[in-house]
Amino acid sequence: MQTNDLIAALAADTRRISPRAAQQRLVVGLGLGMATAAALTIGSFGMRPDLPGALTSTQLWMKAAYTASLAVIAVLAMLHVARPEAGPTRLSWLLLIPVAVLASMSAMELMTTPGEMWMPMWLGGSWRQCSIRVVFLAVPIFAALIWSFRQFAPTNLRRAGAAAGLAAGACSATVYGLHCGEVSATFVLTWYSLGIVAATGIGALIGPRLLRW
Amino acid sequence: MVRGLDGDGAAQNALLSALAPLMRGFFARRMRGAGDDVEDLVQETLIAIHTRRASYDRNRPFTAWAYAVARYKMIDHFRRSRNHVPFEDLEEILVAEGFQDAASAKMDVNVLLGGISPKQARAIRQTRIDGLSIAEAAESAGISEADVKVSVHRGLKALAEKLKGK
């Protein structure tokens, strides 16, 4: 094909692109993914039975704030790596803030609890399932984010995959909060974070394969 | 670009037409000929610039964005065709590259040895570079073995001082 013909064919298909197209596409992807994850949570694990009442408990919001702030940082990082000319970003340092806040809450919790209660508090009733479910729910979100990336031009595919994995893991942990009734900060800090880290790692591993263009 | 983003097909056509020769130059400079590959890459880059134009942020410089796409396409191309250098020519290329290094090293040595006395230079060249023994060097220069050793020693010392002084 001659280059000039190609240019004509491409230019013939010039739709308007909104100035915020990248953000919009990412939001659509996240919305679709999280809706799927929420449907999966309610369908296969069930809502936590005490949910309407628990909406006033600080623990629920503590969990949601932790995972949602990680998700926000991850989305900012994704918008950064979506551009081809993007250099390294310092955004990942921001992740330390929610982790540090939750870690200090966990430390206070441990100090005010007698030592023999530490293990049940740390393991809760669902530590075996928690991380795995977070990774499981991250799958549809990750898939939707990869779809979003089809209009982007990431040049560092590993970093882009890690950012998408982190966003997927953090969002799925937020959604999983609908089901999970664990209340201790120590539990969240360990098992939620483990699931999110696993999702990030998987994203970094398979990102270069899925995101090539 | 911005008018193309707003849906103006004619502006997009003009943009891509203007980018094509720039990209051709960009790839041709970095790939030393390989005409078909260059044209393929130009087309792939134009397609990417068109289909992924949503990732361009209007507040940032356009050329940096476009060349970043081109650079990614070139790296991807090299990754796909790892056996880029034809195997039969490899030996020639290696020999030619080695020759350049060897030639410039030889010139450096010659310049350095030119800076010390001819007798010392000859002794060093014969025993240290040409691989002659002390006895052979002494015989060919018509001097005693001890004289060769002393010449080499003093010559190397003089060279070391010259190098330090530089």
Side-chain angles (χ1 to χ4, degrees), chain A residues 31-59:
Chain A
L32 284 176
M34 284 179 75
T36 316
L40 276 174
T41 310
I42 296 166
S44 43
F45 311 138
M47 204 86 101
R48 53 186 282 194
D50 56 338
L51 192 60
L55 279 177
T56 49
S57 78
T58 37
Q59 280 86 1

PDB file of all heavy atoms in Angstrom, chain A residues 31-59:
ATOM      1  N   GLY A  31     -15.383   1.557  35.244  1.00  0.00           N
ATOM      2  CA  GLY A  31     -16.779   1.380  35.612  1.00  0.00           C
ATOM      3  C   GLY A  31     -17.280   0.006  35.213  1.00  0.00           C
ATOM      4  O   GLY A  31     -17.876  -0.719  36.028  1.00  0.00           O
ATOM      5  N   LEU A  32     -16.992  -0.362  33.948  1.00  0.00           N
ATOM      6  CA  LEU A  32     -17.426  -1.681  33.475  1.00  0.00           C
ATOM      7  C   LEU A  32     -16.815  -2.782  34.326  1.00  0.00           C
ATOM      8  O   LEU A  32     -17.505  -3.714  34.765  1.00  0.00           O
ATOM      9  CB  LEU A  32     -16.992  -1.877  32.019  1.00  0.00           C
ATOM     10  CG  LEU A  32     -17.803  -1.143  30.954  1.00  0.00           C
ATOM     11  CD1 LEU A  32     -17.175  -1.357  29.587  1.00  0.00           C
ATOM     12  CD2 LEU A  32     -19.234  -1.665  30.966  1.00  0.00           C
ATOM     13  N   GLY A  33     -15.510  -2.665  34.568  1.00  0.00           N
ATOM     14  CA  GLY A  33     -14.819  -3.713  35.312  1.00  0.00           C
ATOM     15  C   GLY A  33     -15.361  -3.830  36.728  1.00  0.00           C
ATOM     16  O   GLY A  33     -15.596  -4.933  37.229  1.00  0.00           O
ATOM     17  N   MET A  34     -15.563  -2.668  37.373  1.00  0.00           N
ATOM     18  CA  MET A  34     -16.008  -2.721  38.758  1.00  0.00           C
ATOM     19  C   MET A  34     -17.446  -3.216  38.857  1.00  0.00           C
ATOM     20  O   MET A  34     -17.803  -3.911  39.814  1.00  0.00           O
ATOM     21  CB  MET A  34     -15.851  -1.353  39.429  1.00  0.00           C
ATOM     22  CG  MET A  34     -14.404  -1.074  39.764  1.00  0.00           C
ATOM     23  SD  MET A  34     -14.169   0.528  40.514  1.00  0.00           S
ATOM     24  CE  MET A  34     -14.796   0.230  42.159  1.00  0.00           C
ATOM     25  N   ALA A  35     -18.277  -2.865  37.867  1.00  0.00           N
ATOM     26  CA  ALA A  35     -19.649  -3.374  37.884  1.00  0.00           C
ATOM     27  C   ALA A  35     -19.629  -4.891  37.789  1.00  0.00           C
ATOM     28  O   ALA A  35     -20.349  -5.590  38.533  1.00  0.00           O
ATOM     29  CB  ALA A  35     -20.433  -2.768  36.723  1.00  0.00           C
ATOM     30  N   THR A  36     -18.790  -5.421  36.889  1.00  0.00           N
ATOM     31  CA  THR A  36     -18.677  -6.878  36.782  1.00  0.00           C
ATOM     32  C   THR A  36     -18.198  -7.477  38.098  1.00  0.00           C
ATOM     33  O   THR A  36     -18.733  -8.492  38.579  1.00  0.00           O
ATOM     34  CB  THR A  36     -17.682  -7.243  35.669  1.00  0.00           C
ATOM     35  OG1 THR A  36     -17.937  -6.420  34.542  1.00  0.00           O
ATOM     36  CG2 THR A  36     -17.798  -8.702  35.300  1.00  0.00           C
ATOM     37  N   ALA A  37     -17.173  -6.842  38.687  1.00  0.00           N
ATOM     38  CA  ALA A  37     -16.637  -7.374  39.943  1.00  0.00           C
ATOM     39  C   ALA A  37     -17.689  -7.338  41.038  1.00  0.00           C
ATOM     40  O   ALA A  37     -17.807  -8.282  41.837  1.00  0.00           O
ATOM     41  CB  ALA A  37     -15.400  -6.577  40.348  1.00  0.00           C
ATOM     42  N   ALA A  38     -18.474  -6.256  41.070  1.00  0.00           N
ATOM     43  CA  ALA A  38     -19.515  -6.153  42.103  1.00  0.00           C
ATOM     44  C   ALA A  38     -20.570  -7.230  41.895  1.00  0.00           C
ATOM     45  O   ALA A  38     -21.016  -7.875  42.856  1.00  0.00           O
ATOM     46  CB  ALA A  38     -20.152  -4.760  42.051  1.00  0.00           C
ATOM     47  N   ALA A  39     -20.947  -7.455  40.604  1.00  0.00           N
ATOM     48  CA  ALA A  39     -21.926  -8.502  40.327  1.00  0.00           C
ATOM     49  C   ALA A  39     -21.385  -9.856  40.762  1.00  0.00           C
ATOM     50  O   ALA A  39     -22.104 -10.668  41.367  1.00  0.00           O
ATOM     51  CB  ALA A  39     -22.262  -8.506  38.843  1.00  0.00           C
ATOM     52  N   LEU A  40     -20.119 -10.106  40.497  1.00  0.00           N
ATOM     53  CA  LEU A  40     -19.498 -11.380  40.889  1.00  0.00           C
ATOM     54  C   LEU A  40     -19.483 -11.517  42.407  1.00  0.00           C
ATOM     55  O   LEU A  40     -19.751 -12.598  42.950  1.00  0.00           O
ATOM     56  CB  LEU A  40     -18.064 -11.444  40.376  1.00  0.00           C
ATOM     57  CG  LEU A  40     -17.875 -11.916  38.934  1.00  0.00           C
ATOM     58  CD1 LEU A  40     -16.413 -11.788  38.540  1.00  0.00           C
ATOM     59  CD2 LEU A  40     -18.326 -13.361  38.804  1.00  0.00           C
ATOM     60  N   THR A  41     -19.160 -10.414  43.098  1.00  0.00           N
ATOM     61  CA  THR A  41     -19.110 -10.474  44.559  1.00  0.00           C
ATOM     62  C   THR A  41     -20.466 -10.869  45.131  1.00  0.00           C
ATOM     63  O   THR A  41     -20.577 -11.801  45.934  1.00  0.00           O
ATOM     64  CB  THR A  41     -18.737  -9.097  45.137  1.00  0.00           C
ATOM     65  OG1 THR A  41     -17.587  -8.630  44.457  1.00  0.00           O
ATOM     66  CG2 THR A  41     -18.464  -9.178  46.610  1.00  0.00           C
ATOM     67  N   ILE A  42     -21.497 -10.130  44.668  1.00  0.00           N
ATOM     68  CA  ILE A  42     -22.827 -10.381  45.225  1.00  0.00           C
ATOM     69  C   ILE A  42     -23.319 -11.754  44.792  1.00  0.00           C
ATOM     70  O   ILE A  42     -23.908 -12.501  45.577  1.00  0.00           O
ATOM     71  CB  ILE A  42     -23.786  -9.261  44.787  1.00  0.00           C
ATOM     72  CG1 ILE A  42     -23.302  -7.936  45.395  1.00  0.00           C
ATOM     73  CG2 ILE A  42     -25.213  -9.563  45.221  1.00  0.00           C
ATOM     74  CD1 ILE A  42     -23.926  -6.724  44.791  1.00  0.00           C
ATOM     75  N   GLY A  43     -23.013 -12.121  43.532  1.00  0.00           N
ATOM     76  CA  GLY A  43     -23.488 -13.401  43.014  1.00  0.00           C
ATOM     77  C   GLY A  43     -22.832 -14.590  43.689  1.00  0.00           C
ATOM     78  O   GLY A  43     -23.509 -15.541  44.075  1.00  0.00           O
ATOM     79  N   SER A  44     -21.491 -14.537  43.845  1.00  0.00           N
ATOM     80  CA  SER A  44     -20.838 -15.761  44.320  1.00  0.00           C
ATOM     81  C   SER A  44     -20.497 -15.725  45.803  1.00  0.00           C
ATOM     82  O   SER A  44     -20.416 -16.773  46.432  1.00  0.00           O
ATOM     83  CB  SER A  44     -19.582 -16.040  43.490  1.00  0.00           C
ATOM     84  OG  SER A  44     -18.848 -14.867  43.280  1.00  0.00           O
ATOM     85  N   PHE A  45     -20.280 -14.546  46.398  1.00  0.00           N
ATOM     86  CA  PHE A  45     -19.941 -14.522  47.823  1.00  0.00           C
ATOM     87  C   PHE A  45     -21.105 -13.997  48.658  1.00  0.00           C
ATOM     88  O   PHE A  45     -21.227 -14.292  49.834  1.00  0.00           O
ATOM     89  CB  PHE A  45     -18.725 -13.638  48.100  1.00  0.00           C
ATOM     90  CG  PHE A  45     -17.561 -13.914  47.190  1.00  0.00           C
ATOM     91  CD1 PHE A  45     -16.824 -12.870  46.662  1.00  0.00           C
ATOM     92  CD2 PHE A  45     -17.195 -15.213  46.867  1.00  0.00           C
ATOM     93  CE1 PHE A  45     -15.742 -13.118  45.830  1.00  0.00           C
ATOM     94  CE2 PHE A  45     -16.119 -15.459  46.038  1.00  0.00           C
ATOM     95  CZ  PHE A  45     -15.397 -14.413  45.511  1.00  0.00           C
ATOM     96  N   GLY A  46     -21.943 -13.175  48.062  1.00  0.00           N
ATOM     97  CA  GLY A  46     -23.047 -12.576  48.811  1.00  0.00           C
ATOM     98  C   GLY A  46     -22.614 -11.298  49.510  1.00  0.00           C
ATOM     99  O   GLY A  46     -21.444 -11.115  49.863  1.00  0.00           O
ATOM    100  N   MET A  47     -23.564 -10.421  49.675  1.00  0.00           N
ATOM    101  CA  MET A  47     -23.325  -9.167  50.384  1.00  0.00           C
ATOM    102  C   MET A  47     -23.077  -9.475  51.858  1.00  0.00           C
ATOM    103  O   MET A  47     -23.585 -10.474  52.378  1.00  0.00           O
ATOM    104  CB  MET A  47     -24.604  -8.339  50.248  1.00  0.00           C
ATOM    105  CG  MET A  47     -24.442  -6.869  50.375  1.00  0.00           C
ATOM    106  SD  MET A  47     -24.009  -6.081  48.852  1.00  0.00           S
ATOM    107  CE  MET A  47     -25.592  -5.418  48.375  1.00  0.00           C
ATOM    108  N   ARG A  48     -22.324  -8.640  52.541  1.00  0.00           N
ATOM    109  CA  ARG A  48     -22.213  -8.901  53.979  1.00  0.00           C
ATOM    110  C   ARG A  48     -23.571  -8.626  54.614  1.00  0.00           C
ATOM    111  O   ARG A  48     -24.226  -7.629  54.305  1.00  0.00           O
ATOM    112  CB  ARG A  48     -21.081  -8.104  54.632  1.00  0.00           C
ATOM    113  CG  ARG A  48     -21.082  -6.628  54.397  1.00  0.00           C
ATOM    114  CD  ARG A  48     -19.840  -5.998  54.966  1.00  0.00           C
ATOM    115  NE  ARG A  48     -19.919  -5.845  56.423  1.00  0.00           N
ATOM    116  CZ  ARG A  48     -19.093  -5.083  57.123  1.00  0.00           C
ATOM    117  NH1 ARG A  48     -18.131  -4.414  56.505  1.00  0.00           N
ATOM    118  NH2 ARG A  48     -19.189  -4.989  58.419  1.00  0.00           N
ATOM    119  N   PRO A  49     -24.013  -9.514  55.459  1.00  0.00           N
ATOM    120  CA  PRO A  49     -25.414  -9.467  55.924  1.00  0.00           C
ATOM    121  C   PRO A  49     -25.759  -8.197  56.693  1.00  0.00           C
ATOM    122  O   PRO A  49     -26.915  -7.760  56.686  1.00  0.00           O
ATOM    123  CB  PRO A  49     -25.530 -10.709  56.825  1.00  0.00           C
ATOM    124  CG  PRO A  49     -24.135 -11.152  57.097  1.00  0.00           C
ATOM    125  CD  PRO A  49     -23.280 -10.667  55.987  1.00  0.00           C
ATOM    126  N   ASP A  50     -24.741  -7.600  57.315  1.00  0.00           N
ATOM    127  CA  ASP A  50     -25.043  -6.455  58.168  1.00  0.00           C
ATOM    128  C   ASP A  50     -24.848  -5.142  57.422  1.00  0.00           C
ATOM    129  O   ASP A  50     -24.630  -4.106  58.029  1.00  0.00           O
ATOM    130  CB  ASP A  50     -24.116  -6.488  59.389  1.00  0.00           C
ATOM    131  CG  ASP A  50     -22.650  -6.525  58.974  1.00  0.00           C
ATOM    132  OD1 ASP A  50     -22.395  -6.938  57.820  1.00  0.00           O
ATOM    133  OD2 ASP A  50     -21.782  -6.145  59.775  1.00  0.00           O
ATOM    134  N   LEU A  51     -24.913  -5.188  56.073  1.00  0.00           N
ATOM    135  CA  LEU A  51     -24.404  -4.044  55.332  1.00  0.00           C
ATOM    136  C   LEU A  51     -25.086  -2.700  55.633  1.00  0.00           C
ATOM    137  O   LEU A  51     -24.373  -1.740  55.923  1.00  0.00           O
ATOM    138  CB  LEU A  51     -24.421  -4.306  53.826  1.00  0.00           C
ATOM    139  CG  LEU A  51     -23.625  -3.233  53.085  1.00  0.00           C
ATOM    140  CD1 LEU A  51     -22.177  -3.234  53.558  1.00  0.00           C
ATOM    141  CD2 LEU A  51     -23.684  -3.411  51.601  1.00  0.00           C
ATOM    142  N   PRO A  52     -26.401  -2.601  55.584  1.00  0.00           N
ATOM    143  CA  PRO A  52     -26.931  -1.241  55.794  1.00  0.00           C
ATOM    144  C   PRO A  52     -26.472  -0.656  57.114  1.00  0.00           C
ATOM    145  O   PRO A  52     -26.088   0.507  57.184  1.00  0.00           O
ATOM    146  CB  PRO A  52     -28.452  -1.448  55.779  1.00  0.00           C
ATOM    147  CG  PRO A  52     -28.654  -2.747  55.075  1.00  0.00           C
ATOM    148  CD  PRO A  52     -27.464  -3.586  55.362  1.00  0.00           C
ATOM    149  N   GLY A  53     -26.459  -1.500  58.164  1.00  0.00           N
ATOM    150  CA  GLY A  53     -26.045  -1.004  59.469  1.00  0.00           C
ATOM    151  C   GLY A  53     -24.564  -0.678  59.510  1.00  0.00           C
ATOM    152  O   GLY A  53     -24.151   0.302  60.122  1.00  0.00           O
ATOM    153  N   ALA A  54     -23.752  -1.485  58.806  1.00  0.00           N
ATOM    154  CA  ALA A  54     -22.304  -1.317  58.874  1.00  0.00           C
ATOM    155  C   ALA A  54     -21.845  -0.047  58.175  1.00  0.00           C
ATOM    156  O   ALA A  54     -20.704   0.366  58.332  1.00  0.00           O
ATOM    157  CB  ALA A  54     -21.615  -2.532  58.253  1.00  0.00           C
ATOM    158  N   LEU A  55     -22.749   0.571  57.390  1.00  0.00           N
ATOM    159  CA  LEU A  55     -22.332   1.768  56.662  1.00  0.00           C
ATOM    160  C   LEU A  55     -21.909   2.885  57.599  1.00  0.00           C
ATOM    161  O   LEU A  55     -21.206   3.803  57.185  1.00  0.00           O
ATOM    162  CB  LEU A  55     -23.489   2.268  55.780  1.00  0.00           C
ATOM    163  CG  LEU A  55     -23.646   1.518  54.459  1.00  0.00           C
ATOM    164  CD1 LEU A  55     -24.858   2.028  53.709  1.00  0.00           C
ATOM    165  CD2 LEU A  55     -22.394   1.641  53.617  1.00  0.00           C
ATOM    166  N   THR A  56     -22.326   2.810  58.854  1.00  0.00           N
ATOM    167  CA  THR A  56     -21.931   3.862  59.784  1.00  0.00           C
ATOM    168  C   THR A  56     -20.670   3.502  60.554  1.00  0.00           C
ATOM    169  O   THR A  56     -20.155   4.318  61.299  1.00  0.00           O
ATOM    170  CB  THR A  56     -23.052   4.117  60.803  1.00  0.00           C
ATOM    171  OG1 THR A  56     -23.465   2.854  61.324  1.00  0.00           O
ATOM    172  CG2 THR A  56     -24.233   4.816  60.152  1.00  0.00           C
ATOM    173  N   SER A  57     -20.152   2.278  60.364  1.00  0.00           N
ATOM    174  CA  SER A  57     -18.987   1.889  61.146  1.00  0.00           C
ATOM    175  C   SER A  57     -17.715   2.469  60.524  1.00  0.00           C
ATOM    176  O   SER A  57     -17.596   2.572  59.306  1.00  0.00           O
ATOM    177  CB  SER A  57     -18.876   0.363  61.211  1.00  0.00           C
ATOM    178  OG  SER A  57     -18.350  -0.117  59.998  1.00  0.00           O
ATOM    179  N   THR A  58     -16.786   2.866  61.402  1.00  0.00           N
ATOM    180  CA  THR A  58     -15.552   3.456  60.880  1.00  0.00           C
ATOM    181  C   THR A  58     -14.721   2.420  60.135  1.00  0.00           C
ATOM    182  O   THR A  58     -14.027   2.758  59.189  1.00  0.00           O
ATOM    183  CB  THR A  58     -14.705   4.034  62.028  1.00  0.00           C
ATOM    184  OG1 THR A  58     -14.838   3.166  63.144  1.00  0.00           O
ATOM    185  CG2 THR A  58     -15.130   5.430  62.367  1.00  0.00           C
ATOM    186  N   GLN A  59     -14.796   1.152  60.586  1.00  0.00           N
ATOM    187  CA  GLN A  59     -13.957   0.129  59.949  1.00  0.00           C
ATOM    188  C   GLN A  59     -14.249   0.003  58.462  1.00  0.00           C
ATOM    189  O   GLN A  59     -13.351  -0.121  57.644  1.00  0.00           O
ATOM    190  CB  GLN A  59     -14.150  -1.245  60.616  1.00  0.00           C
ATOM    191  CG  GLN A  59     -13.380  -1.403  61.903  1.00  0.00           C
ATOM    192  CD  GLN A  59     -14.177  -0.858  63.075  1.00  0.00           C
ATOM    193  OE1 GLN A  59     -15.304  -0.393  62.913  1.00  0.00           O
ATOM    194  NE2 GLN A  59     -13.574  -0.896  64.252  1.00  0.00           N
TER     195      GLN A  59
END
